[in-house]
Amino acid sequence: MLEVAGLRAAYGRIPILNGIEFEVGDAEVVGILGHNGMGKTTLMKTLMGFIAATAGRITYQGADITREPPHNRARRGIGYVPQGREIFPQLSTLDNLRMGAANASDDTVDAVLEDLPHLKPLLDRPGGALSGGEQQILAIARCLCAQPKLILLDEPTEGIQPSIIDQLEEILGELRTSRGLTLVIVEQNLDFVATLADRVLIIQKGAIVRELSPDSLSDPAIIDEFVGMRA
């Protein structure tokens, strides 16, 4: 579904991505691990088109989208749940969902709420009044209103209590099955990644340096390497 080849990106003259290479298959979940400052968020923003690639190629469902703007990528079926969630705090939960896509119908919103019933009692509540976990579920639901086939999730467990992290694991696992979604998850919570991912990629200094199996994330040597990243 997604192929990234030789991808480079920079902030001004400062290179951040240095030849990223990886592929993601249909209905696959790929986790991306790395310490802060290694290029994880830059990678997600470049895949979505918010940061321009300076070299390399992004191919989605056989089409070269490297130079396409974000709204075109969204129309093709790529969704993005950013770090920090970025919901609209003054809008109600329902209006946040309606903002998920310019052409999101009530039927689309209703279908998303059937998949995420946690939000039904919160529809009239302002987004800013929700807990961090509720905001994260809302951010995922808002993304689903655009009916994506691939979702890029940047640090979905950041600032969320453990019981809600368990809910997120369940929600994402069920969405993968029910909607056939493909997921790319940037994360620092090793347990969360191990539960959901089919494969785990390690990013260092803007490059993918190796691939791990989810089972290997329970290895003490791996835990030591990523100390501070475990829940």
Side-chain angles (χ1 to χ4, degrees):
M1 172 175 277
L2 179 71
E3 181 180 350
V4 180
L7 187 64
R8 295 179 180 271
Y11 290 118
R13 296 185 177 181
I14 302 173
I16 305 296
L17 302 184
N18 298 300
I20 293 276
E21 305 256 355
F22 69 97
E23 297 181 3
V24 183
D26 288 345
E28 187 177 26
V29 178
V30 172
I32 300 179
L33 285 174
H35 290 288
N36 290 335
M38 292 295 106
K40 303 187 302 297
T41 292
T42 301
L43 171 60
M44 301 297 262
K45 289 183 175 180
T46 305
L47 293 177
M48 197 64 214
F50 294 116
I51 295 174
T54 56
R57 185 178 67 255
I58 304 169
T59 304
Y60 175 70
Q61 293 188 321
D64 186 342
I65 64 168
T66 312
R67 307 300 170 197
E68 288 193 359
H71 64 271
N72 280 4
R73 301 184 198 209
R75 287 173 181 163
R76 287 183 179 274
I78 303 177
Y80 178 49
V81 180
Q83 185 179 20
R85 301 176 277 278
E86 296 185 10
I87 56 123
F88 298 98
Q90 303 304 322
L91 296 183
S92 70
T93 294
L94 180 57
D95 286 340
N96 265 276
L97 294 176
R98 288 172 173 160
M99 291 292 288
N103 61 350
S105 68
D106 287 342
D107 288 344
T108 300
V109 172
D110 288 345
V112 169
L113 288 171
E114 288 304 310
D115 283 336
L116 296 169
H118 312 71
L119 295 176
K120 288 184 177 181
L122 308 174
L123 292 179
D124 294 329
R125 193 175 300 178
L130 304 184
S131 70
E134 290 167 343
Q135 288 183 7
Q136 186 63 65
I137 294 171
L138 174 56
I140 292 169
R142 181 182 61 183
C143 179
L144 288 174
C145 285
Q147 300 178 302
K149 302 177 183 69
L150 164 67
I151 297 182
L152 311 173
L153 296 112
D154 192 357
E155 304 279 11
T157 72
E158 184 179 52
I160 295 177
Q161 64 190 53
S163 62
I164 303 300
I165 291 174
D166 292 341
Q167 276 190 3
L168 286 178
E169 288 177 0
E170 182 178 350
I171 286 168
L172 292 173
E174 289 177 355
L175 288 173
R176 178 192 186 182
T177 301
S178 64
R179 291 180 173 244
L181 289 174
T182 302
L183 305 175
V184 177
I185 305 174
V186 159
E187 187 50 75
Q188 295 198 48
N189 184 317
L190 301 188
D191 294 330
F192 186 80
V193 173
T195 298
L196 288 170
D198 299 304
R199 295 184 292 125
V200 180
L201 306 177
I202 307 301
I203 185 171
Q204 290 182 2
K205 296 181 180 179
I208 301 297
V209 296
R210 57 178 160 152
E211 179 178 319
L212 300 174
S213 70
D215 290 344
S216 70
L217 298 183
S218 61
D219 185 324
I222 298 297
I223 294 171
D224 287 346
E225 181 177 349
F226 292 101
V227 64
M229 293 177 58
R230 195 175 181 84

